Amino acid sequence: MNPSGRRRTTIKDVAEAADVGVATASRVLSGNGSASAATRERVLAAAARLDYRPSALGRNLRRRHTGGIGLLLPDITDAFYSRLADGVLACAQSAGEPVMIGTTGDDPEREAELIGSLLEQSVERVVAVPCGDGEMWGPAFRAGLGVVFVERRAEGRDDVPTVVADDRTGVRVAVEYLIGLGHRRIAFLARHGQSQRVRAFRDALASLGMRADEELIARAHATRDSAYAAASGLFQHRPDLTAVLAGGNMLGEVALLAARELDLRVPRDVSLIMFDDVPWAELCSPPLTVISQPPQDMGYRAAELVLRETRRPRTVTLPTELIIRGSCAPRR
């Protein structure tokens, strides 16, 4: 609260007053990235009118240090991300560091807002599953925050330490398994941020002398409704597909639901493999074949890296494993 008792103006207030997104306002006020002259003029005018003073933030960061770790995740209710958070919390607790958790919903505008909020609260370190591009993280790096990405990278920021699972090997082993069962029309169901897994899928097929059918690669937004629509659309528009590889546990769940509602039997009519070995995967009928990755270890290692305050770009790659259960069968 400022001396007059009024709430201090935030970058979100400026963005709303200028009728632009938070990310655009951030780029204009930080002097990075492109924006039209008209947009720049609107943002600067709004900042002046609202008495927004980003420079005060920089002074605060230099004068006081609250420590702690900010943790930005797409969705805390997702089993994978909740287990990743558990790993970060375990490491932070052992180091005596508090953790502030924010959820982005895989929305870059929301991510920019949360980055600004962490800066305003003088958090010194951030572990994040990024959804925006590298420009979005410019204010954090300029303010001197320690940042480690986990699960995926931000485009254009290969200089940031990152902890990932071995997606390429996981996808390749799953594709080889399905090909060995006689499947040739294999679909990939992906969501935002999974471009690496899509590339691995194409490369795995190419290594086996096959070309990816782009119509069998479906992309969903971060919401469950979008994921269900993508899965249902695959089954309805391509009834010739015989197997689906889902890029995450929510995608696997909605693929299973959509198949059942369309009277497709797993694995008799369609085989299914998904990323993430979540508890319910074994309880399904049939139990689901999965590409298991270690979310707690990923979170713990990411927190270790950010607490070391290393400036050297480093990628930690943790292993994946194909766990075969009952959701895949030879092509009929």
Side-chain angles (χ1 to χ4, degrees), residues 38-220:
T39 297
R40 181 176 296 276
E41 184 177 342
R42 282 206 319 278
V43 171
L44 294 176
R49 187 169 65 253
L50 296 174
D51 195 25
Y52 177 68
R53 297 172 181 172
S55 59
L57 173 59
R59 290 194 297 272
N60 286 341
L61 285 169
R62 292 181 181 88
R63 291 176 182 173
R64 77 175 191 274
H65 301 277
T66 62
I69 300 173
L71 174 58
L72 301 186
L73 302 170
D75 179 4
I76 195 64
T77 66
D78 182 288
F80 174 82
Y81 293 121
S82 64
R83 291 160 68 193
L84 189 152
D86 187 59
V88 172
L89 290 167
C91 183
Q93 183 178 22
S94 68
E97 291 283 352
V99 177
M100 298 176 57
I101 301 177
T103 56
T104 66
D106 265 335
D107 178 358
E109 297 286 339
R110 173 63 177 158
E111 180 179 74
E113 181 182 334
L114 287 170
I115 292 169
S117 178
L118 291 173
L119 287 171
E120 288 169 358
Q121 297 179 64
S122 299
V123 172
E124 295 180 334
R125 305 173 183 90
V126 180
V127 172
V129 180
C131 58
D133 59 23
E135 281 187 8
M136 198 79 68
W137 286 88
F141 295 121
R142 286 189 294 278
L145 263 69
V147 178
V148 171
F149 293 142
V150 62
E151 195 209 14
R152 58 178 96 136
R153 291 188 179 280
E155 184 179 346
R157 295 306 314 213
D158 292 341
D159 57 329
V160 179
T162 306
V163 179
V164 294
D166 189 356
D167 286 350
R168 293 191 66 82
T169 298
V171 171
R172 177 178 54 78
V173 171
V175 169
E176 289 176 350
Y177 174 61
L178 291 171
I179 295 293
L181 291 174
H183 296 282
R184 296 296 181 270
R185 291 181 291 279
I186 304 170
F188 193 95
L189 184 58
R191 63 180 284 183
H192 178 88
Q194 294 184 339
S195 57
Q196 174 67 27
R197 291 179 184 174
V198 173
R199 284 195 296 270
F201 177 68
R202 292 193 184 102
D203 291 346
L205 289 173
S207 71
L208 295 168
M210 300 174 60
R211 189 172 183 176
D213 183 341
E214 295 300 318
E215 287 188 355
L216 291 178
I217 299 176
R219 294 174 176 81

Side-chain angles (χ1 to χ4, degrees), residues 230-309:
S232 181
L234 265 178
F235 291 134
Q236 293 182 72
H237 298 142
R238 289 299 300 267
D240 59 325
L241 71 84
T242 63
V244 175
L245 178 53
N249 67 84
M250 181 183 73
L251 298 169
E253 181 184 350
V254 297
L256 188 63
L257 178 61
R260 288 178 176 173
E261 292 188 350
L262 293 168
D263 293 324
L264 295 172
R265 294 161 293 181
V266 176
R268 181 182 175 90
D269 299 320
V270 62
S271 291
L272 176 62
I273 299 178
M274 75 174 185
F275 266 86
D276 304 338
D277 188 18
V278 293
W280 58 262
E282 272 192 290
L283 303 177
C284 289
S285 180
L288 296 187
T289 294
V290 299
I291 301 168
S292 176
Q293 48 184 347
Q296 285 105 331
D297 288 350
M298 292 170 69
Y300 198 99
R301 294 292 294 276
E304 277 187 327
L305 282 180
V306 83
L307 287 168
R308 288 177 190 167
E309 297 185 344

Side-chain angles (χ1 to χ4, degrees), residues 21-34:
V22 173
T24 299
S26 176
R27 285 195 293 269
V28 170
L29 293 171
S30 65
N32 265 351
S34 59

